[in-house]
Amino acid sequence: MTITKTFRAAALAATAALATVATATPAVANHHKMQKKAAANIVETAMSTGVHGTLVAAVKAAGLVETLSGPGPFTVFAPTDAAFAKLPAGTVDTLVKPENKATLTKILTYHVVAGKVKASDLISAIGKNGGSYSFDTVAGQKLTARLVQGKVVITDAKGGQSTVTQTDVR
């Protein structure tokens, strides 16, 4: 498989394997309201799940740790390690090479939405918009959400679909 085909496959497979919604939030006050404690950011949250190790490694290779550790808010439709494992052999290893940083960044930002997207708000938007709701990713691409048998299914621009399996991870 050529590198171009590998990248295309990675973009489609990773996009088609959306798994978890994670949101970065600004600092929150503790119960005494005298000190502020920062909530875990997206990268810290992904590191703690036990199922996003490949995503974290890719975010580091793309140089997106600082961006995704910022105050946001951002929502990430985060592929799990199992989703990355469905890619053709060698795809992730190829993508994390320094010379492929731009392609990796584009793939990763295809999974990021500016703003806080709560599951209830997304479901409401789907209902208010005739059964589907489209939104732009940070990469400038459209994703469309629909309810299928009571679950949110995300469709990418090429028709790849994934079911959201976990929502509102802070």
Side-chain angles (χ1 to χ4, degrees):
M1 180 180 290
T2 66
I3 291 180
T4 304
K5 287 182 183 175
T6 299
F7 293 150
R8 217 176 294 134
L12 294 175
T15 301
L18 308 175
T20 304
V21 179
T23 306
T25 57
V28 294
N30 71 6
H31 67 282
H32 294 293
K33 295 189 181 193
M34 295 179 75
Q35 299 177 354
K36 288 194 175 189
K37 178 182 177 185
N41 62 48
I42 289 172
V43 177
E44 292 168 341
T45 299
M47 288 171 58
S48 72
T49 67
V51 296
H52 292 102
T54 306
L55 176 64
V56 171
V59 166
K60 289 177 179 179
L64 293 172
V65 171
E66 187 173 322
T67 300
L68 293 177
S69 296
F74 302 106
T75 300
V76 177
F77 293 89
T80 62
D81 294 336
F84 280 106
K86 293 178 182 178
L87 293 170
T91 300
V92 174
D93 292 336
T94 300
L95 286 171
V96 298
K97 290 180 178 179
E99 63 267 24
N100 299 323
K101 183 177 179 179
T103 301
L104 180 59
T105 299
K106 186 173 183 177
I107 292 168
L108 292 173
T109 57
Y110 195 94
H111 293 78
V112 180
V113 177
K116 183 177 182 179
V117 181
K118 294 191 321 186
S120 59
D121 294 339
L122 185 56
I123 291 168
S124 178
I126 292 168
K128 290 178 183 175
N129 288 285
S132 68
Y133 179 72
S134 294
F135 50 94
D136 291 323
T137 67
V138 172
Q141 301 295 314
K142 286 232 182 278
L143 295 177
T144 301
R146 291 182 177 81
L147 280 179
V148 178
Q149 297 177 348
K151 296 181 180 183
V152 174
V153 174
I154 305 293
T155 304
D156 67 22
K158 298 205 182 232
Q161 295 185 332
S162 285
T163 302
V164 176
T165 59
Q166 186 175 0
T167 62
D168 300 335
V169 176
R170 296 198 51 121

